[in-house]
Each structure stands twice: as C-alpha cells, then as structure tokens.
Amino acid sequence: MNNKDVIIACDFKSAEETFRFLDLFRDEARKPFLKIGMELFYAEGPEIVREIKRRGHRIFLDLKLHDIPNTVKKAMAVLSRLDVDMCNVHAAGTVEMMKAALEGLTREDGTRPLLIAVTQLTSTSEERMRRELLIDAPIDETIVHYARNTKEAGLDGVVCSPLEAGMVHGACGAEFLTVTPGVRFADGDVADQVRVTTPARAREIGSDFIVVGRPITAAADPVAAYRRCVAEFLGVE
Ligand code: C5P
C-alpha cells in the first residue's frame, strides 16, 4: 500500500448521503482513500463497507476499539473479513489488548489491514487528564509513551495531531505511521478544530496520512478541494 495519502473523512449520516458524495468522484482516476466512522457504520452496518469496497475505494474503519483483549481480538477478526485497509484501537487499552487486536486481525495467510492506535484524543486536555484520569505527565510525554507502547505491541502507527507527527517519528522511527486529522487549507475555515495545520506543512512535519473532512466534504467543489489536498500533501497533480 502507498503509505502516504489523503484520507477523506466520510462523516455522513446515511448511505444515501455518502453515495451522493462519492458519485462526484466517479470519473476521478485516483479513487480517494476514505474514513468511515462510528456514525455511518452504526447507522448502515457492514454493508456500507462492502459497497464502498466494491466501488474500489480503500477504507480506514475508524471504530476505536477498547475492551478486554479477548473481545477486541474477536471483533478484529470480523473487521479483517470485511477487508478494510486500516482500522484502529485505543492505546489506553494496554499493550496486551493491542497485541490481541493484531492477532485477531491477522488472516490465515498472514495478511492483515494496517492497525493503528489512538494515543490521547485531541479533545482531551492536560488539565482533564490530571483531574479526571489522574495522569500527571505532560500530554506530549503521554502521547510519546502511548506511541512507544503501540510500537512494542507490533502495530503500524498512531493517530495524532500533525503537529505531533515529528515527535512520534523521533521516538518510534520513520517507518512508524502517523495518521493525522486537524488539517485545514491556509485560506480555509478552522471550524471546531484547534491544533490545525495545512496539508503542505503536515507533509513537512512527517505525517504519513492526513485525514480531511469538512475542507473537502463541505467545499463548493469537493473534487477540486480533494485534488488541491493531494497536490499540496503529495506534491503531485
Ligand atoms: O472535518 P474535519 O476535517 O475536522 O474531520 C476530521 C476527522 O478526523 C473527523 O472524522 C474527526 O472525528 C476525526 N478526528 C479528529 N481528531 C482526532 C481523532 C479523529 O478530528 N483526534
């Protein structure tokens, strides 16, 4: 798999809305890599994944599993049969849980989707970590520590802010993947994201995959916005 790409976050509430959006890309030579999250998956079930795969898209199924190792292992085996290209767990589930996830995901022939872990959600502040989770370490240190645990468990990388991608690569190596939401065009609307950067800057800092939602899905011309993202991030037309 090409380990540098733009992933469009398909944060739609129904299959109908999703396919209306995807139809815009029907004549595109480059089929966008798509992220399907909880809202769409829980609304439409596994069939939406199969249908989108049939259309030739790669899929990051963003369900952020976090449960006892045995349960996560069995759930991952189901996702593996769905033939998604990337899925994820919470690193907070422990190294043992992440190892179980990897085992469940690996098919009999040894192949498997990419598996990454969420470190700390960008919605979690250092203050809340201290007060509610009793984690006293600075948030950056926690992120690097969780990334190291993720690597130790044998996973492929983490979800983090593009601004943290360099730090994670520094701790876990250049080959360890960073999948980064929080991307905006320099002249675009930030909306509710706080720590944002542009596709070009994300490339410079070392993001491997950028996850872009509203700058593409809410654009007047989503295909043009996608092409602009690809051009800025991959440096190709
Ligand atoms: O529309 P926007 O570009 O902000 O979408 C970003 C996507 O990445 C959304 O699907 C959001 O849920 C997801 N995400 C995020 N921050 C995280 C983890 C996931 O924005 N820390």
Side-chain angles (χ1 to χ4, degrees):
M1 180 186 293
N2 174 14
N3 280 345
K4 283 254 176 211
D5 213 338
V6 173
I7 302 179
I8 305 180
C10 287
D11 292 324
F12 300 114
K13 58 181 182 311
S14 68
E16 191 193 349
E17 215 178 292
T18 308
F19 292 126
R20 204 180 311 134
F21 174 75
L22 293 183
D23 283 346
L24 300 172
F25 292 83
R26 206 169 0 213
D27 299 328
E28 280 297 281
R30 156 183 263 280
K31 292 256 176 221
F33 196 141
L34 306 174
K35 178 172 92 75
I36 298 178
M38 294 185 204
E39 185 186 11
L40 187 57
F41 189 77
Y42 294 155
E44 300 289 351
E47 193 47 34
I48 184 98
V49 174
R50 296 191 190 101
E51 179 62 32
I52 293 176
K53 284 295 293 185
R54 275 197 288 273
R55 289 178 173 226
H57 295 274
R58 283 176 294 159
I59 296 179
F60 166 22
L61 190 55
D62 180 19
L63 299 181
K64 300 186 179 72
L65 275 64
H66 188 174
D67 207 319
I68 60 170
N70 185 55
T71 302
V72 169
K73 180 177 168 180
K74 288 180 172 168
M76 280 297 174
V78 176
L79 299 188
S80 187
R81 288 197 291 277
L82 259 185
D83 198 25
V84 295
D85 298 278
M86 184 188 288
C87 51
N88 59 358
V89 292
H90 270 285
T94 74
V95 170
E96 192 195 351
M97 188 208 77
M98 290 192 274
K99 283 183 174 167
L102 201 61
E103 240 184 276
L105 202 59
T106 306
R107 305 181 187 105
E108 272 183 14
D109 63 1
T111 63
R112 62 167 176 81
L114 290 172
L115 181 60
I116 58 174
V118 177
T119 53
Q120 282 291 349
L121 291 170
T122 44
S123 53
T124 309
S125 67
E126 205 161 281
E127 202 270 326
R128 278 178 191 276
M129 269 175 37
R130 201 166 33 243
R131 187 162 42 87
E132 296 177 25
L133 307 179
L134 295 184
I135 298 172
D136 274 328
I139 196 157
D140 281 3
E141 218 174 281
T142 314
I143 288 162
V144 166
H145 184 64
Y146 282 21
R148 286 203 169 103
N149 287 348
T150 305
K151 191 178 178 192
E152 185 192 327
L155 274 62
D156 304 296
V158 291
V159 183
C160 61
S161 149
L163 303 169
E164 292 150 6
M167 189 173 80
V168 169
H169 282 305
C172 300
E175 300 302 309
F176 191 71
L177 301 177
T178 51
V179 179
T180 66
V183 172
R184 292 292 180 266
F185 292 121
D187 53 4
D189 183 9
V190 170
D192 55 353
Q193 293 282 15
V194 181
R195 301 185 64 210
V196 299
T197 195
T198 62
R201 184 76 191 119
R203 175 177 62 160
E204 284 164 18
I205 307 173
S207 287
D208 296 290
F209 292 91
I210 51 171
V211 177
V212 187
R214 288 159 293 178
I216 295 174
T217 56
D221 183 345
V223 175
Y226 172 69
R227 285 185 188 151
R228 179 179 172 193
C229 243
V230 169
E232 274 195 34
F233 183 61
L234 299 179
V236 294
E237 291 301 325

